[in-house]
Amino acid sequence: MDLTFSALNDHTGRRWQGLFERLWPAYRSWYLQDGVEARPSYFECRQALRTHMPELVPVWERLVDLAGGGDLPARLLSLYDPPAYLTGCSQAVWSGADPLLVRNYDYNSRAFDAVVLRSNWTDKAIMGTSDCLIGLVDGINDAGLAVSLTFGGRRVVGRGFGVPIILRYVLETCETVEQAGRVLARVPTHMAYNVTVLDAERKWLTVYLSPDRPPVITHAAVATNHQERVEWISHARQTATVERERYLLTRLALHEESEARFISAFLRPPLYSLAFERGFGTLYTAAMWPRRREMAYRWPSAEWRLNLNAFEESSMAVTYPKAA
């Protein structure tokens, strides 16, 4: 399997508009998979954004205009009550002095943007891995706040936002872990996710989000694909969530190791997955340094470094190993 990643720098919306035109057919099919009536109306989407993410409304309106102003793009770009979707993923805060958040993104390659987007849509500069056109699955802002997500391992689906737009909102409006924790505690999510945030002062939180119960704010340095306990047993077995969590906790507790060794651990089993045919292969490892405003994308045979303050558009072609 081969993928080509692109790094795009968007100030005016021109880069994003090109991205929308390229990806819209696939996202339209995904959004309408259960029929148009299964998704909330334009007015419901707009009201949800105004209620829960008012600072993001001007960004949403601008992107809707760039997308042609249609009803369906506006609804999708709100990411309010989108179709359900599952990821794998592991993430952990390194125990060394320099703040570092490392994560593996385990997902279906056919539903992946393969785009790193640097944006200045508000007064914040942000760099991260694009998802659902408006959202991010991980990233860092110019205040030195890094954020990442994993699936929370629960079947429940409810009324709320897709987590990629929640991560975008955190990075657009927050500078500290405390601020991010407050945002994550109040914005409703449509599925269960674990969100880890780390700032330049090496403060961190992991928040367990669910649509049917209050968020749980923890000081956990590790998150895989369950929350306080395993609730979806077959998914847990399929993704080895418990084994991955134990592996990371053991490394943090018993191993004093360099950041390079810690990052490299994500490129090997049990963290690294070759389950691409089942939609849970590791598409990339990302290391995020809040103080440096830097991200490094890693694969077993390649590395791609990007800096928020010295960002250059580029691309990276990746060939993935085959499962044994």
Side-chain angles (χ1 to χ4, degrees):
M1 187 183 75
D2 299 321
L3 280 178
T4 298
F5 287 67
S6 300
L8 304 177
N9 196 359
D10 188 81
H11 292 278
T12 64
R14 183 173 62 89
R15 287 296 196 208
W16 183 89
Q17 193 172 37
L19 185 66
F20 174 84
E21 291 170 356
R22 177 167 65 87
L23 297 178
W24 171 244
Y27 273 115
R28 185 183 188 277
S29 296
W30 167 74
Y31 193 68
L32 296 179
Q33 64 185 267
D34 301 315
V36 67
E37 297 300 325
R39 307 275 67 85
S41 70
Y42 168 83
F43 296 102
E44 289 176 293
C45 294
R46 183 179 66 176
Q47 186 57 44
L49 282 170
R50 286 180 171 178
T51 299
H52 301 288
M53 304 185 197
E55 302 92 336
L56 203 60
V57 170
V59 171
W60 172 71
E61 292 175 337
R62 191 181 328 132
L63 295 183
V64 170
D65 286 344
L66 289 168
D71 172 80
L72 199 59
R75 292 158 70 183
L76 186 151
L77 289 170
S78 76
L79 274 192
Y80 184 62
D81 282 1
Y85 47 85
L86 304 180
T87 63
C89 312
S90 309
Q91 60 199 26
V93 177
W94 181 53
S95 57
D98 192 6
L100 170 64
L101 174 61
V102 186
R103 64 97 96 260
N104 274 5
Y105 188 63
D106 304 340
Y107 194 48
N108 187 342
S109 63
R110 293 180 294 275
F112 178 52
D113 292 0
V115 169
V116 183
L117 185 65
R118 185 194 189 278
S119 61
N120 274 110
W121 294 344
T122 63
D123 61 350
K124 288 279 195 308
I126 293 170
M127 173 177 65
T129 311
S130 173
D131 191 52
C132 296
L133 296 166
I134 195 172
L136 300 165
V137 295
D138 49 51
I140 191 168
N141 68 16
D142 56 12
L145 185 69
V147 62
S148 177
L149 66 86
T150 73
F151 175 58
R154 303 185 65 228
R155 294 175 181 267
V156 62
V157 179
R159 299 283 283 183
F161 292 93
V163 73
I165 199 172
I166 298 177
L167 264 61
R168 161 71 67 179
Y169 182 57
V170 166
L171 292 177
E172 295 282 4
T173 61
C174 300
E175 297 186 353
T176 67
V177 161
E178 291 81 2
Q179 292 171 348
R182 290 193 292 270
V183 166
L184 292 167
R186 68 170 178 78
V187 176
T189 177
H190 85 305
M191 293 185 70
Y193 282 91
N194 310 323
V195 178
T196 299
V197 287
L198 171 70
D199 66 22
E201 300 300 318
R202 206 175 173 275
K203 297 178 181 178
W204 75 86
L205 293 172
T206 293
V207 184
Y208 301 142
L209 303 176
S210 292
D212 61 335
R213 60 194 187 197
V216 178
I217 298 177
T218 79
H219 198 59
V222 170
T224 53
N225 302 129
H226 59 282
Q227 297 188 330
E228 294 178 291
R229 58 186 176 87
V230 170
E231 298 179 60
W232 187 355
I233 294 175
S234 61
H235 182 271
R237 288 173 177 165
Q238 185 182 35
T239 62
T241 179
V242 173
E243 292 83 354
R244 287 183 285 119
E245 181 190 51
R246 288 175 179 168
Y247 177 78
L248 282 168
L249 289 172
T250 298
R251 295 194 76 90
L252 290 173
L254 301 180
H255 295 266
E256 291 186 10
E257 58 187 0
S258 68
E259 65 176 35
R261 284 179 59 85
F262 187 68
I263 295 169
S264 294
F266 283 77
L267 300 171
R268 301 187 301 271
L271 302 182
Y272 188 82
S273 170
L274 292 174
F276 297 110
E277 292 185 359
R278 292 187 282 119
F280 293 106
T282 301
L283 298 180
Y284 65 88
T285 297
M288 291 168 276
W289 290 272
R291 287 181 187 163
R292 307 180 199 175
R293 279 54 165 180
E294 184 172 284
M295 295 181 68
Y297 289 82
R298 290 283 305 273
W299 299 271
S301 59
E303 180 181 61
W304 192 33
R305 284 185 177 260
L306 298 166
N307 188 283
L308 181 64
N309 297 324
F311 190 91
E312 294 184 4
E313 292 195 338
S314 58
S315 62
M316 171 65 74
V318 179
T319 298
Y320 292 86
K322 294 180 180 180

